[in-house]
Amino acid sequence: MGLFLNRGNQEFKGVLNSEIYIDKSGMIDVFNSLIGTEQRYACISRPRRFGKSIAANMLAAYYEKGCDSRALFEDKKIAQTANWDRNLNKYDVIRIDMADISSRKNTPEDALDYIEKTVIKELSEEYPGLVPEDCSGIADALAEINNANGAEFIIIIDEWDCFFRDEKSNFSVQQRYINLLRGLLKGNSSKKFTALAYITGILPIKKYNSESALNNFIEYTMLQPKRLAEYIGFTETEVQGLCEKYDMDYKQICDWYDGYSFNRAKHIFGPNSVVQSMLDGECYNYWSQTVAFNSLATYISMNFDGLKDAILSMMAGNREKVRVRTYENDMVSFKSKDDVMTMMIHLGYLAYDEKAEEAYIPNKEVRMCFEDTLTATDWTEVIESIEASEKLLKNIAKGDAEAVALGLEECHRKNTSILKYNDENSLAVSIGLAFYSARKEYNVVREMPAGEGFADMVFLPKYNVVKPPMIIELKWDKEAETAISQIKEKKYLESLGDYKGEVILVGISYEKDGPDAKKHHCIIENIELN
C-alpha cells in the first residue's frame, strides 16, 4: 500500500461506517462505460462539501487491485447493474489529493516535486526493473511500464484545481502544474497507459485563449452536469428518505437546502448541510461554516457594471440572465459581471437554470450567506432595507397603509439609481427587498398566473406558518385603488385555490412626474374568502 499508488480502501470504509451514508455507487456504472474509450478523461467540478472526495474514494476502492472490495459493493446499487464486477479491483490506481499535499509542503514547487518523486518511487517498487533510474516524470514512468507489459492505470486526482485557487497569481507554478497534467493526461502515450482519468475540484479546467488546457477531457460542471446530475448532491427521493428516518420536516429541509436544479435532476440538495441537519435534529446555516464569506465579499464588491443590480435582484427573489461562456475558469480573469456570476455558480453561491440561462440564489442557507457578506461591504442601504422589512410587515398586519407607503418609498429611493427609478423591474426589485423578511414565513411568487392575468406578487404562507396570504399589485401614475380593483376584477384571488379565510390585498402606486413625483401610495384591504 503506497501513499499514491494503490492506497487501499480504508478511506471508503470510513465513509461506509458513517451514521448517514447515501449510496451513490450507481455512478461507477457510468465510468465503467468510459474505460478505454475516447471519453475516458473526465473532469467533475462541484462546490465544497458536495461529496467530491467521497466519490473519489469510492472509485479508488472499486478499481484498485491492491485490495479486495467485493464486500463493500455487493449490496450497493452498482451490484444491481449488469456485469457490475467486471472492473472490480482490476487496475493499479494512482490517487492524489492535490490540496492535501500542497497544505503539507512549504511551497507549491515542493509539493509538485514531492508528488513526482514519490509516485515514480512507488511505481519502481511495484514494477521493479521497468522504470529507468533517470526517468524524467510520472508520465514517462507509466509509458515505460505500459511498453513493457501493457499495464493500464486509473488516475484519480482530487482537488485538481487547488493551484488555480490558492496560487491565483503564481502563473509560473500554474504553468508547471499544467505541463505535468498535460504529460500525464493528454497525448498518445497517455492513451496507452490510461484506462480512466477522473479529476475533481471546484473549478472547470482553466482556459487559455478560449481553449481548455486539457481539451481531451469531458467536463461535468454545475452548469452542465449531464448524466452525473443525480450524483452532484442529494436527490429529492434520498432526502425524503432521510427526513422520514430522522423525523425531520421535508418542506423545511427544502426551504433551507434545496434549490440546485439540472435538466436531469430537478431538485438537488447540499449534501453536507442535509447530513448535519439530520444529525443535529434542526436546520442551521452550515454553509457559512465551510465557505468563508470573505471570498464572496470580494466577488460582489467588484465594480463591474450591472453586478450590484443583479445581486440586488436575486436577493429580492428574482432570476438574472447570465452569459457563462466567457469565464476563463480561474480566480483572477474577470472581465464582466457575467464572469463573476459564473464563478459564483461554480462555488455554489448561485444556482443555474441551463434552459433559461438564468442564475438565482438557491435556498435560505445560501441567502443567509449573502446577508452576512453584505454587512461586510459598503452596501449599507441594502442592509438597512432588509432590516426595515420586519417593520414593514408589522405595519401591513396593522393595516397602517401610510407607514407602508413611506417604507416602500425609502427602500425604492435607496436601492435604485435615478436613471432606472421609473423602470418597472426596479420597482419590483425594491418591493422584493422591502418585503425581504417575508421570505422567512412566505413563499414569494412574482408574476404568478392567476384568474385572467398575472398577479405581480403573491405571498403564500409556508407549511408551518399561520398567517394570511397576501396579494400585491404595483402601479405607477395611477391610483392605488386601481391596483386593488385589478386584483378583484381579474380574479387574482383564484391563485389561492381552495383556500378559505383572511387574505390581505395591498395596492401600491407612485407618480413618476408632477408635484408628487416619486411619492408612494398604498391601500391595504383585508377580505374573507368563504
Side-chain angles (χ1 to χ4, degrees):
M1 185 181 299
L3 295 173
F4 299 111
L5 178 65
N6 298 336
R7 286 165 46 170
N9 56 20
Q10 291 301 314
E11 291 162 297
F12 186 56
K13 283 183 178 179
V15 173
L16 295 178
N17 289 334
S18 302
E19 179 176 333
I20 294 178
Y21 169 73
I22 297 296
D23 184 359
K24 295 289 187 178
S25 64
M27 69 182 292
I28 295 173
D29 193 48
V30 174
F31 292 103
N32 277 341
S33 71
L34 302 182
I35 287 180
T37 71
E38 287 296 308
Q39 292 76 41
R40 64 184 174 274
Y41 299 92
C43 176
I44 292 82
S45 57
R46 59 178 98 164
R48 293 187 187 279
R49 297 296 186 264
F50 268 63
K52 296 186 296 297
S53 296
I54 291 175
N57 290 336
M58 178 183 69
L59 292 174
Y62 175 84
Y63 288 115
E64 184 186 313
K65 72 178 184 181
C67 58
D68 182 0
S69 299
R70 178 171 292 274
L72 303 184
F73 292 101
E74 60 187 359
D75 62 344
K76 302 297 184 295
K77 290 182 179 179
I78 180 60
Q80 300 171 13
T81 63
N83 301 316
W84 73 274
D85 57 353
R86 65 185 181 279
N87 294 310
L88 180 66
N89 302 133
K90 296 292 176 63
Y91 289 91
D92 284 305
V93 173
I94 297 174
R95 166 92 158 81
I96 304 172
D97 185 335
M98 287 295 181
D100 176 58
I101 302 303
S102 178
S103 67
R104 293 193 284 109
K105 298 301 173 181
N106 292 327
T107 68
E109 290 83 358
D110 289 343
L112 292 174
D113 288 341
Y114 174 75
I115 290 169
E116 291 225 67
K117 290 178 181 178
T118 306
V119 172
I120 291 173
K121 176 177 178 293
E122 292 180 355
L123 287 170
S124 299
E125 293 170 351
E126 184 71 19
Y127 292 95
L130 298 187
V131 180
E133 292 185 3
D134 61 348
C135 185
S136 60
I138 300 173
D140 288 341
L142 294 175
E144 292 287 351
I145 295 170
N146 176 264
N147 285 336
N149 63 13
E152 293 181 305
F153 296 79
I154 288 180
I155 300 170
I156 299 175
I157 301 178
D158 195 10
E159 300 286 356
W160 85 272
D161 56 336
C162 73
F163 291 112
F164 295 104
R165 293 186 276 108
D166 300 339
E167 302 293 329
K168 299 182 184 68
S169 302
N170 193 339
F171 300 113
S172 62
V173 165
Q174 291 181 16
Q175 189 60 57
R176 178 186 170 184
Y177 179 50
I178 280 293
N179 290 339
L180 183 154
L181 294 179
R182 279 175 170 158
L184 187 60
L185 304 171
K186 189 175 181 180
N188 291 328
S189 60
S190 174
K191 288 183 179 180
K192 292 180 180 179
F193 61 68
T194 303
L196 177 71
Y198 176 96
I199 67 175
T200 183
I202 295 174
L203 298 177
I205 295 173
K206 162 72 177 171
K207 293 180 182 178
Y208 292 95
N209 298 321
S210 300
E211 182 176 319
S212 167
L214 297 170
N215 57 12
N216 57 321
F217 271 74
I218 306 298
E219 298 205 55
Y220 305 86
T221 72
M222 293 299 285
L223 300 173
Q224 291 182 320
K226 305 167 188 172
R227 53 181 161 172
L228 295 183
E230 66 180 287
Y231 304 112
I232 292 295
F234 288 173
T235 65
E236 188 175 14
T237 301
E238 291 163 347
V239 175
Q240 287 172 340
L242 288 174
C243 287
E244 183 176 344
K245 178 179 179 180
Y246 287 88
D247 194 26
M248 294 288 284
D249 192 300
Y250 175 69
K251 291 183 179 179
Q252 186 180 23
I253 296 296
C254 287
D255 186 36
W256 274 85
Y257 310 121
D258 189 12
Y260 302 95
S261 182
F262 308 110
N263 290 342
R264 302 193 188 191
K266 297 303 181 184
H267 294 275
I268 292 294
F269 297 70
N272 177 70
S273 297
V274 170
V275 167
Q276 293 299 325
S277 69
M278 297 295 157
L279 296 177
D280 291 343
E282 61 180 331
C283 293
Y284 188 74
N285 185 3
Y286 300 101
W287 183 266
S288 64
Q289 297 178 353
T290 58
V291 183
F293 71 75
N294 289 336
S295 60
L296 179 58
T298 299
Y299 299 130
I300 68 176
S301 295
M302 291 180 173
N303 192 28
F304 289 117
D305 182 46
L307 178 60
K308 183 173 182 178
D309 289 342
I311 297 295
L312 286 179
S313 178
M314 290 185 290
M315 289 286 287
N318 300 315
R319 297 185 173 209
E320 285 291 313
K321 284 286 186 181
V322 56
R323 294 175 65 250
V324 299
R325 289 174 288 278
T326 61
Y327 177 55
E328 294 186 15
N329 300 340
D330 63 22
M331 308 292 275
V332 293
S333 303
F334 301 106
K335 298 182 179 65
S336 67
K337 75 176 181 67
D338 292 306
D339 289 347
V340 178
M341 290 173 64
T342 304
M343 158 66 82
M344 293 165 70
I345 293 169
H346 289 299
L347 294 178
Y349 291 120
L350 297 177
Y352 180 66
D353 183 330
E354 182 183 351
K355 289 184 178 178
E357 297 185 330
E358 293 175 337
Y360 57 96
I361 297 174
N363 52 48
K364 180 176 181 178
E365 184 180 43
V366 180
R367 191 162 59 247
M368 289 172 68
C369 188
F370 272 90
E371 292 175 26
D372 294 341
T373 299
L374 293 182
T375 62
T377 68
D378 58 353
W379 292 22
T380 308
E381 297 89 346
V382 180
I383 294 301
E384 290 176 349
S385 296
I386 291 174
E387 292 173 348
S389 63
E390 292 279 1
K391 184 177 180 181
L392 190 75
L393 288 173
K394 292 178 181 178
N395 286 328
I396 288 180
K398 291 190 298 184
D400 191 341
E402 183 176 353
V404 172
L406 289 174
L408 294 172
E409 188 174 313
E410 181 71 2
C411 184
H412 196 181
R413 180 187 63 78
K414 284 182 175 181
N415 298 298
T416 311
S417 69
I418 294 174
L419 293 177
K420 294 183 178 180
Y421 192 90
N422 291 325
D423 177 80
E424 182 178 1
N425 187 63
S426 294
L427 174 60
V429 168
S430 295
I431 296 295
L433 286 174
F435 284 98
Y436 188 83
S437 291
R439 296 180 182 277
K440 297 176 184 177
E441 299 179 315
Y442 291 90
N443 291 313
V444 184
V445 184
R446 186 178 170 188
E447 296 293 333
M448 184 172 182
E452 299 174 1
F454 294 85
D456 283 341
M457 301 184 78
V458 177
F459 292 71
L460 303 172
K462 291 185 176 179
Y463 52 92
N464 60 348
V465 174
V466 184
K467 287 191 175 182
M470 297 187 295
I471 298 179
I472 297 177
E473 187 66 23
L474 317 174
K475 294 293 180 186
W476 65 54
D477 286 343
K478 293 181 180 180
E479 299 295 328
E481 290 89 343
T482 304
I484 295 291
S485 297
Q486 181 169 318
I487 293 175
K488 297 176 180 178
E489 292 169 3
K490 292 198 173 183
K491 302 178 182 179
Y492 291 169
L493 290 164
E494 291 183 4
S495 65
L496 303 179
D498 297 328
Y499 171 79
K500 305 296 183 184
E502 183 185 9
V503 181
I504 300 176
L505 310 184
V506 183
I508 299 168
S509 68
Y510 80 94
E511 298 178 27
K512 294 195 293 184
D513 304 302
D516 289 332
K518 299 184 181 180
K519 182 176 177 61
H520 290 57
H521 304 275
C522 176
I523 290 180
I524 301 173
E525 184 177 328
N526 293 52
I527 65 172
E528 195 79 17
L529 294 181
N530 298 315

